[in-house]
Amino acid sequence: MKPVTSPALTSADLAAVEAAPLTYPKAHTVDQVDDYFGTKVSDPYRWMEDVDSPDVKVWIDEENKLTRSVLDSVPGRDHMNARLMDLVNFERYTAPFRRGTRYFYSHNTGLQNQNVVYWQEGLTGEPSVLLDPNTMSADGTIAISGLSISDDGRLAAYSIADAGSDWVKWHVREVATGQDLPDVIEWSKFSSASWLKDGSGFFYEGYDAPASDALKATNYFHKIFFHKLGTPQSEDKLIFDRPDDKEMNVGAAVTDDGRYLLLYQTKGSSPNNELAVKDLAHPDAPIVHISTVADALYSPIDNDGTRFWIQTTLNAPNGRVVEVDLAHPEREHWKTIIPESANNLDSVSMIDDTLVANYLADAQSMVELHTREGVLSERLTLPGIGTAAGFAGKRTDTETFYQFTNFTTPATVYRLDMKTRRSTLYRQPKLKFDPAQYETEQVFYTSKDGTRVPMFLSHKRGLKLDGANPTLLYGYGGFNISLRPEFSSSNLLWMEMGGLYAQPSLRGGGEYGEAWHQAGTKLTKQNVFDDFIAAAEWLIASSYTSPAKLAISGGSNGGLLVAACEIQRPDLFGAVLPSVGVMDMLRFDKFTIGWAWKSDYGAPSENEEEFNAIYRYSPLHNLKPGVAYPPTLITTADHDDRVFPAHSFKFAAAMQSMQSGSNPVLIRIETRAGHGAGTPLSKRVELAIDQFSFLLKELGRSRT
């Protein structure tokens, strides 16, 4: 069957005539004024924080109706939807991992809303379904959010999230029979599960049941519990908590030898952590503290008895590997195994007594193999510019698996034989496009303060530098998160239609280590916006595009990014797509887990200097009446319990009330969805088509 081809972005039927200004739903205002260190700040849409109130529900319905009336009328939607469905319809696999004699992995036949978890005996065994979340709800909105297999491969602890919520329920399933045990764990959040070596129970994290609205209530006093199989949750034992600090998140992991329980303690969203070790063989023995302060990252890699290898950023912002002996855990006894390099050490695992060090070199993967004493033995040859991820396993394993992806290559699974050091293709998707028609390059540009920033550009080969290319500039810039080359069917559709996709590595991310992250936090957060604006200016100055053809997009912290940038430079962009953004920067810490973001943003109600910095860029508070802001499509979800949806509600209402001219300001509010994780394929496709319809309409519109 001949594949559907995509419409060109420049086709005549997309040159829409100038539209009259839209009539927006009425959003009433209230006389709410707050005092921040003597500065009076109005919050006229405070009533929208009651997201389940009748008034808010009426407003949501009217806004969605208006948005649909605009987006559904865009020519070419059906054609574009058909092609995107064609592009996403390919088999997808995750890298397998072994427990006992069994291998576990996820698979999607192409158009399934959620991946299905499989297991098989050995590498060539017959696959059997372990978990199929597609059968758990009619609309595909229940997702598997966590999975932990017992050491012998006999039992699976798995968590499910409903409608995108961060709250999850844990269940236990017998692998061989596919039957669930009676065990059920509720009110777990930001949690993994880690089994005892004998499979008699597992550790997990959670909170006390919220006393009020679970969608809105703040989450404090994270705890580690132990669940013994066959017992009710009410009998679960509290293993560790931090009653001295309500904002401390905690985590637990059993070492591969089953001897120790690793106790992680993190403050908010900072990558830094405290680390302690509990001896499970001697439960009454004192806990050994590796670090009692969260002054750096401390991430255990593996251990051989009391000898631990730990990845850390202590005195090494780009990361290093140290050896710590529990018999002498003081820092003066630590031994550097792999010293800090010029590249960011992203992750390390121990396979076949070999340290597999995965670096980010200018935001792309570089993988080195070191002996357990730290001697570099070789560097893996990867297929090209891209991202390699995986390398999971145990110190005694002789194989590991990894995925490789980039902007035009869906995740391809490789098996690495640790004895021969040879990578062989294990599973490769069958593509419905020709990757040779596209190219990716990495460029470097200069930000406002002279900082050199990298950016990936992906597009069809032979792109003309005539300043007329519709361009999608995507960014994040926060929380030590690195944007890497990875495949997206929707981005490929954009390139197939003649568009340019640009992805800069902004400060605030982790592409160049902790120093790069810190340079975009708190009082230096404006650096992130300056980096993004400079990327846009470079694309225009280099004749890739023009302001009228340039769209910007970002989600969550990236939603904050693009909203702040459109307010600071409304002249620079032809369309803006802020998704699930943090828009009310003075109240982000009042809902769910928002308080944890103070490590990146600062504390607006506690620190005057940080308030002043935040107030200068907070999207909600810097809108001005009479400004012609770019065409804007705001997207959020009614069950987002990460970034509370009122952020987007208030921002949309305020921008609509102040917008000058005919540029539309729309908001799309998804139902039965959360922050993004676990969103079914059908909803992800619908969102992409709506966003591209908006871009096609607005970037094809003539402006005077």
Side-chain angles (χ1 to χ4, degrees), residues 256-326:
D256 284 345
D257 61 7
R259 175 68 184 273
Y260 300 102
L261 182 67
L262 305 169
L263 300 170
Y264 301 86
Q265 300 146 77
T266 60
K267 186 75 170 181
S269 55
S270 170
N272 299 338
N273 63 288
E274 299 177 31
L275 179 64
V277 180
K278 180 179 177 62
D279 190 340
L280 294 174
H282 300 91
D284 295 329
I287 290 175
V288 177
H289 293 275
I290 303 296
S291 178
T292 57
V293 290
D295 56 349
L297 168 75
Y298 302 96
S299 179
I301 301 162
D302 209 331
N303 70 296
D304 188 357
T306 62
R307 180 186 182 187
F308 278 74
W309 290 269
I310 295 175
Q311 179 184 350
T312 183
T313 54
L314 179 66
N315 301 322
N318 283 345
R320 60 180 173 136
V321 175
V322 298
E323 179 189 318
V324 178
D325 195 320
L326 295 187

Side-chain angles (χ1 to χ4, degrees), residues 396-445:
T396 55
D397 289 344
T398 58
E399 66 176 358
T400 187
F401 297 83
Y402 65 94
Q403 289 180 311
F404 181 83
T405 183
N406 57 31
F407 297 110
T408 57
T409 306
T412 302
V413 181
Y414 293 85
R415 178 182 179 270
L416 174 62
D417 185 317
M418 295 301 296
K419 296 302 184 185
T420 64
R421 305 297 171 87
R422 181 169 174 259
S423 291
T424 54
L425 185 65
Y426 183 65
R427 282 171 174 153
Q428 183 176 31
K430 295 179 181 178
L431 307 182
K432 297 185 178 181
F433 66 96
D434 181 7
Q437 293 183 6
Y438 304 90
E439 60 183 332
T440 296
E441 60 180 320
Q442 188 177 45
V443 300
F444 293 84
Y445 64 91

Side-chain angles (χ1 to χ4, degrees), residues 140-158:
T141 56
I142 288 181
I144 304 298
S145 59
L147 176 67
S148 179
I149 308 296
S150 61
D151 198 61
D152 58 6
R154 188 174 61 88
L155 297 169
Y158 68 96

Side-chain angles (χ1 to χ4, degrees), residues 182-214:
D183 306 69
V184 177
I185 307 294
E186 296 188 280
W187 302 117
S188 178
K189 203 174 198 182
F190 312 124
S191 173
S192 59
S194 190
W195 288 90
L196 284 179
K197 188 76 171 178
D198 63 4
S200 61
F202 57 88
F203 300 90
Y204 68 95
E205 296 82 47
Y207 294 96
D208 294 332
S212 57
D213 181 4

Side-chain angles (χ1 to χ4, degrees), residues 361-364 385 407 439-447 451-459 463 465 471 473 485 500-506 512 516 531 534-540 542 544:
D362 290 331
Q364 53 187 287
I385 293 176
F407 297 110
E439 60 183 332
T440 296
E441 60 180 320
Q442 188 177 45
V443 300
F444 293 84
Y445 64 91
T446 302
S447 190
T451 298
R452 185 171 179 259
V453 182
M455 177 165 55
F456 292 107
L457 305 178
S458 291
H459 50 78
L463 188 78
L465 300 185
T471 297
L473 176 62
L500 165 68
Y501 177 77
Q503 181 176 292
S505 302
L506 312 174
Y512 289 104
W516 191 256
D531 288 356
E537 292 175 330
W538 185 91
L539 288 166
I540 294 167
S542 301
Y544 281 94

